[in-house]
Amino acid sequence: MSQKQTMSPWKYKPWWCQPWSILLTGVTLISGSWVIFKTVWLTVLVCVPVLTWMGFFLIIWPQLVIRSGILESHEDGV
């Protein structure tokens, strides 16, 4: 009986598009805006699009790829 491995969309992405690099970039941008400007409204202005980008690529995008079935068709072709 063969066990099916869970499919991960991350194994098809380059190193700069992995979860750790997305988190590191987002945290660096948000904390960097605070360190440089020390202004709450400017940090919030940076924070909103960065958190939106991080949320999309860390939460929504992987689920969309898994549900689309594109990984299954790619695995079958290999």
Side-chain angles (χ1 to χ4, degrees):
M1 222 154 99
S2 67
Q3 290 180 331
K4 188 167 186 165
Q5 290 182 328
T6 57
M7 291 176 284
S8 172
W10 299 112
K11 71 180 188 178
Y12 300 102
K13 301 297 276 180
W15 68 267
W16 48 266
C17 199
Q18 294 295 317
W20 63 268
S21 65
I22 294 171
L23 282 171
L24 184 63
T25 303
V27 168
T28 302
L29 288 172
I30 293 168
S31 60
S33 73
W34 176 253
V35 168
I36 292 171
F37 302 113
K38 292 190 180 18
T39 308
V40 173
W41 68 269
L42 194 54
T43 301
V44 169
L45 198 62
V46 169
C47 189
V48 169
V50 170
L51 287 177
T52 302
W53 166 74
M54 288 172 58
F56 178 78
F57 281 105
L58 292 175
I59 299 169
I60 297 170
W61 177 81
Q63 293 302 316
L64 289 174
V65 171
I66 290 169
R67 289 182 188 161
S68 73
I70 196 166
L71 295 179
E72 293 168 355
S73 63
H74 187 269
E75 297 266 329
D76 293 341
V78 173

